[in-house]
Amino acid sequence: MARRFLTVCVCIAAICLVTPGRGPSVEDMFVATTQAAEDAEGAMCLMPDGVDGPPRGGQAEGPPKGGRHVRSSEVASGFSRTDQSQIAIPKSSNTDGGDLPPVRMVVDPYPSFNGVVVDSTNDLVMMSDTNRKSLLVYDRSAGSLTSKEAATPRQQIMGPDTGVGFVAGVAMDPAHRELFTVNNDVEDRLVVFGYDARGNVKPKRLLYVPHQSWGIAFAPQRDVLALSVQTPNMYVVFKRDAMKFDAPVRSVRGPKTQMADPHGIYFDETHNEVVVANHGNFRPGELITSYTAYDAPESRQERSGGKLDENARGKFLPSSVTVFDGDAKGDVAPLRVIQGPLSQIDWPMGVAVDEVNNEIIVANNGDNSVLVFPRTANGDVAPKRVIRGALTGIKGPMGVASARDEIFVANFGDHTALVFPRLAGGNVRPRRIVRNAPAGKETSGFGNPYSVAYDTKRQEILVPN
């Protein structure tokens, strides 16, 4: 029982960060230490205690029996052996009070890619990780079609001080050397880091955002960020340097917008347009409660002007891509809508615009594909190209980006991100594969599990994700 609890401790200890060239990655440490813990019989476990100052519990005198301590040479980003404190581990579940070991646990020790963004100026690519709660930055050319090993990131931002949680959208600002990510569902905040940030570091600033913010679109010329927000069916625009409780400068929201559970968002400054990918789950305003710190005092009655429709019901709409004027504000109709069976749009997640070649690129999660449309496409129209099939390796695509005549796809269904030539179409192999785990490692698929249930008839554990 004690050895199983060590697995949990190691999972928590994996909060520390590793930088390339100074030792194994945090995932390698997690796996190696977990395997070593299988034979451990000791009753001590090392726990992270932050990177600032000495540990509260003092330094251990020696490794647990059958295990080992993490040495400073094995960890980077300032997290060393002196940053560890001890916690007593009960050897059985008969202990009165205190921590009890689990009978068993299901955990994926590797990152799960979500959002992806490319900085062509500095040849960098950044991806969000919902599983280990981190940001990973790679060289733009990282990855290989033949390698079975995980690619080494240039840096990883991860740990309790970072404020990175259930992260979704990402953005990069080469001019101000800032990295952005937004937490969806839980923390309701956007966190900003410098380009050199790594490890368990505090963000430069944070911004409290509407609940269920998902995608980020950065517009460098306007110096603003646009965030898609799921349940209220809207997107909001903030100043780039907004912080804490700063309000958005404008929002687009209402029945005329035709947005329904928006996710991916892209600000095309070349053509002054905002492109939004919608799942199609629509909830009318009468059913939406307070969604941000800005309107928390409002009631549904106040928001509806006293005309609350108690018969209002949500509905499922076909997935779509809506395109708005870049200066849109309030309840306005989109300029164009791509929607219908010919479009093949099915649970679109990330969306990007190739502003040079006038194409809209969609990460189509529903059927494991990438769809490419003419930028001016409107109505129920077929895509120009579709990347789909077993050879592509696309599995649960979440994020998509376009840069340097390449298309980047972040998979959530396995431990990979893929890079295709811009004109790729059909069942084709990617040009490169960026792995965050050795080839063949399964993923649990955990995104944001909140509860579990046990099916006694089938003897299965059900996890809503």
Side-chain angles (χ1 to χ4, degrees), residues 83-103:
D83 297 311
Q84 307 284 324
S85 59
Q86 301 173 358
I87 183 171
I89 302 174
K91 295 184 178 180
S92 75
S93 58
N94 297 323
T95 305
D96 293 331
D99 295 321
L100 301 179
V103 173

Side-chain angles (χ1 to χ4, degrees), residues 59-74:
Q59 184 170 316
E61 294 297 325
K65 181 181 178 182
R68 63 179 178 84
H69 288 309
V70 180
R71 297 181 176 87
S72 58
S73 61
E74 297 173 317

Side-chain angles (χ1 to χ4, degrees), residues 422-436:
R422 182 183 71 82
L423 295 176
N427 185 18
V428 296
R429 298 184 187 277
R431 176 176 288 172
R432 299 189 302 279
I433 300 175
V434 182
R435 301 184 185 278
N436 59 30

Side-chain angles (χ1 to χ4, degrees), residues 83-345:
D83 297 311
Q84 307 284 324
S85 59
Q86 301 173 358
I87 183 171
I89 302 174
K91 295 184 178 180
S92 75
S93 58
N94 297 323
T95 305
D96 293 331
D99 295 321
L100 301 179
V103 173
R104 61 186 181 276
M105 62 185 293
V106 178
V107 62
D108 185 350
Y110 300 101
S112 292
F113 289 144
N114 192 322
V116 58
V117 62
V118 180
D119 170 5
S120 298
T121 302
N122 297 289
D123 270 343
L124 300 174
V125 58
M126 180 172 73
M127 285 176 271
S128 55
D129 156 31
T130 60
N131 186 46
R132 304 301 299 156
K133 318 301 182 190
S134 75
L135 296 176
L136 297 108
V137 179
Y138 297 85
D139 290 323
R140 184 186 59 81
S141 59
S144 165
L145 187 58
T146 57
S147 175
K148 302 300 182 182
E149 299 303 315
T152 303
R154 291 171 58 99
Q155 65 202 79
Q156 188 176 21
I157 301 171
M158 177 175 151
D161 289 343
T162 65
V164 175
F166 185 59
V167 286
V170 287
M172 303 177 77
D173 177 6
H176 298 92
R177 294 183 58 80
E178 291 184 332
L179 311 173
F180 305 84
T181 190
V182 65
N183 290 291
N184 176 254
D185 275 355
V186 184
E187 295 85 0
D188 294 345
R189 60 192 173 196
L190 179 147
V191 286
V192 186
F193 300 92
Y195 258 46
D196 297 322
R198 62 193 66 226
N200 184 25
V201 296
K202 292 182 179 179
K204 288 180 60 176
R205 61 182 181 277
L206 62 85
L207 171 68
Y208 293 101
V209 297
H211 180 56
Q212 290 191 325
S213 294
W214 198 91
I216 304 179
F218 176 53
Q221 297 174 30
R222 296 172 179 240
D223 209 29
V224 297
L225 296 162
L227 308 181
S228 61
V229 191
Q230 293 178 246
T231 299
N233 309 313
M234 70 175 185
Y235 69 84
V236 291
V237 180
F238 288 93
K239 293 180 179 179
R240 176 192 56 82
D241 56 358
M243 60 188 300
K244 294 187 178 179
F245 290 100
D246 287 348
V249 295
R250 58 191 169 93
S251 63
V252 177
R253 176 188 184 189
K256 293 180 182 178
T257 68
Q258 301 183 49
M259 284 186 285
D261 195 6
H263 279 70
I265 185 170
Y266 186 94
F267 207 127
D268 176 0
E269 290 194 284
T270 300
H271 306 95
N272 191 34
E273 294 179 341
V274 175
V275 181
V276 181
N278 303 278
H279 278 187
N281 308 312
F282 180 79
R283 178 181 294 183
E286 289 87 347
L287 299 180
I288 299 172
T289 55
S290 300
Y291 62 91
T292 77
Y294 318 119
D295 69 348
E298 281 189 1
S299 66
R300 292 167 55 205
Q301 190 79 25
E302 290 169 334
R303 190 181 300 113
S304 63
K307 299 178 181 180
L308 187 64
D309 183 3
E310 293 294 350
N311 295 315
R313 296 291 183 271
K315 56 185 176 181
F316 295 109
L317 302 173
S319 299
S320 69
V321 171
T322 47
V323 182
F324 298 89
D325 183 273
D327 298 304
K329 181 178 181 180
D331 187 10
V332 296
L335 300 174
R336 300 183 299 279
V337 179
I338 307 174
Q339 185 181 52
L342 289 178
S343 73
Q344 304 178 46
I345 297 174

